[in-house]
Amino acid sequence: MRIVFIGAGRLASNVAPSLKQAGHHILQVYSRTLTSAENLAAEVGAEAITDLSDVKGGADVYIFAVTDSSLPALAEGVGASLRRQNVAADSYAFLHTAGSVSMSVFTDCAAHYGVFYPMQTFSKGRRVSLSEVPFFIEGNDDHTMQMAQSLAQTVSSKVYALSSEGRKHLHLAAVFACNFANHCYQLSAELLEKHHIPFEVMLPLIDETAAKVHSLPPVEAQTGPAVRFDRGVMQAQLQLLADSDFHARIYDLMSQSIHHSYQETLQHD
C-alpha cells in the first residue's frame, strides 16, 4: 500500500520502517519538527514535510501516529488539504494509532476511517519487533476493516478487531500493566540510589516476575508480605518511607490491593 505518516515520534519510528520492510511504499512523513520528519523519511525513503498543506493525494492510507490532543486538528488539516487537491474521498482511508481515542474523530474528515493500534510500549532509540505485537483494528465500513487488517497482517501475526469502547478498557489495562509497573521500577531505582545500590540487581527479579505470568495467572504469581498481610514486615517498610508520605500511601494502597485480590481468590476457590 501507499502510505503517508502523520507523525514521526516513537511509534511512527517503529511502525513505518516495519511497513516499509514488509513491502509498503511510504510516500511522506509529516512532523512539526523538520529534523524528526527528515530522520524518519530518510530511513523509509519518503519525502519529509512540516506543513499539512504539503500532504499529497495518491496514498491509500494516511496513518496518524500523534498525541491524542493533536489528533483532531491534524485530521482536519490533512482532510482539508486533500479536498483542496480534489482527491476522491473514496480513494483513501484515515487510520489512527491511539489507544483511547474513538475512530469518530475522523467522521468529518474522511469517508473511510478507522484504527490501527499496536499495543506496545515504544521508547526513543529502541527498535521493537512487531511480529508478536498485538494490533487492534477498527473501521467504519468493510472496506476500511479489510484495509486495516491487511496492513496489520503484513507486520504482525496477532491482529484483532475491537470496538472503540473495548479499546478504551484495553488501554486502561495496558496503563496498569506497563506504565504503572514501569513507574514502580522508577521508585525502586530511587530507593536503591539513596543507598548506592545499582538498579541492575533488580533485573533478574523483574525478568522472572514478567516471565511467570506467561504460565500463571497474575494473582497466583503474586508473592511478598502483602499477600499474607505480614503486618510486621509491612510496618517496618512503611517506616523506611517515613520521609515521603506520598510514597508511603502508594505502598499502603498497593499492599491493600494485593491482599484484597488474594483474599477474593481464596473465597472463589
Side-chain angles (χ1 to χ4, degrees):
M1 294 186 196
R2 296 162 297 177
I3 303 168
V4 169
F5 262 85
I6 308 300
R10 291 173 295 180
L11 189 151
S13 294
N14 274 270
V15 175
S18 295
L19 290 172
K20 172 71 173 179
Q21 188 175 7
H24 300 285
H25 185 194
I26 314 298
L27 302 178
Q28 293 179 307
V29 173
Y30 163 86
S31 175
R32 291 176 300 176
T33 306
L34 180 59
T35 300
S36 297
E38 288 180 336
N39 288 343
L40 182 54
E43 185 175 357
V44 297
E47 176 190 6
I49 59 173
T50 58
D51 191 328
L52 292 180
S53 64
D54 292 329
V55 173
K56 295 178 180 177
D60 300 302
V61 60
Y62 296 79
I63 297 179
F64 292 76
V66 297
T67 62
D68 293 3
S69 59
S70 65
L71 181 53
L74 289 171
E76 183 178 341
V78 174
S81 178
L82 296 178
R83 288 192 296 273
R84 283 195 299 271
Q85 299 172 57
N86 295 316
V87 179
D90 62 352
S91 66
Y92 60 86
F94 281 7
L95 299 176
H96 74 65
T97 61
S100 292
V101 179
S102 170
M103 68 175 178
S104 63
V105 69
F106 292 135
T107 299
D108 297 326
C109 307
H112 303 298
Y113 54 86
V115 177
F116 184 74
Y117 171 52
M119 194 184 68
Q120 183 56 281
T121 177
F122 299 104
S123 296
K124 187 176 181 180
R126 182 176 174 83
R127 188 57 56 83
V128 176
S129 171
L130 300 182
S131 60
E132 295 296 315
V133 171
F135 274 73
F136 295 87
I137 61 169
E138 186 180 15
N140 72 315
D141 53 31
D142 290 341
H143 170 80
T144 310
M145 280 296 293
Q146 290 171 8
M147 175 178 286
Q149 182 175 25
S150 176
L151 195 63
Q153 287 176 337
T154 62
V155 292
S156 173
S157 61
K158 299 179 179 180
V159 181
Y160 307 89
L162 188 66
S163 69
S164 288
E165 183 62 26
R167 191 165 22 84
K168 289 179 183 178
H169 295 281
L170 175 76
H171 191 221
L172 173 60
V175 166
F176 274 93
C178 174
N179 306 138
F180 288 177
N182 188 74
H183 183 61
C184 287
Y185 301 157
Q186 179 190 339
L187 297 181
S188 173
E190 290 172 357
L191 287 168
L192 292 169
E193 186 178 10
K194 289 179 180 178
H195 298 279
H196 310 291
I197 304 172
F199 180 69
E200 66 184 33
V201 302
M202 289 290 166
L203 297 181
L205 178 63
I206 291 170
D207 291 343
E208 174 59 13
T209 301
K212 281 196 295 186
V213 297
H214 283 264
S215 57
L216 291 172
V219 70
E220 292 183 18
Q222 188 72 56
T223 59
V227 170
R228 56 187 183 272
F229 219 68
D230 190 326
R231 293 181 183 275
V233 173
M234 293 167 63
Q235 285 300 320
Q237 292 186 336
L238 280 169
Q239 284 299 313
L240 296 176
L241 296 170
D243 62 339
S244 175
D245 180 63
F246 187 69
H247 290 162
R249 283 187 287 136
I250 293 174
Y251 180 98
D252 187 48
L253 283 172
M254 289 286 279
S255 296
Q256 290 186 49
S257 181
I258 290 169
H259 186 65
H260 177 71
S261 295
Y262 182 68
Q263 290 299 112
E264 280 197 330
T265 302
L266 290 179
Q267 292 172 10
H268 293 145
D269 286 346

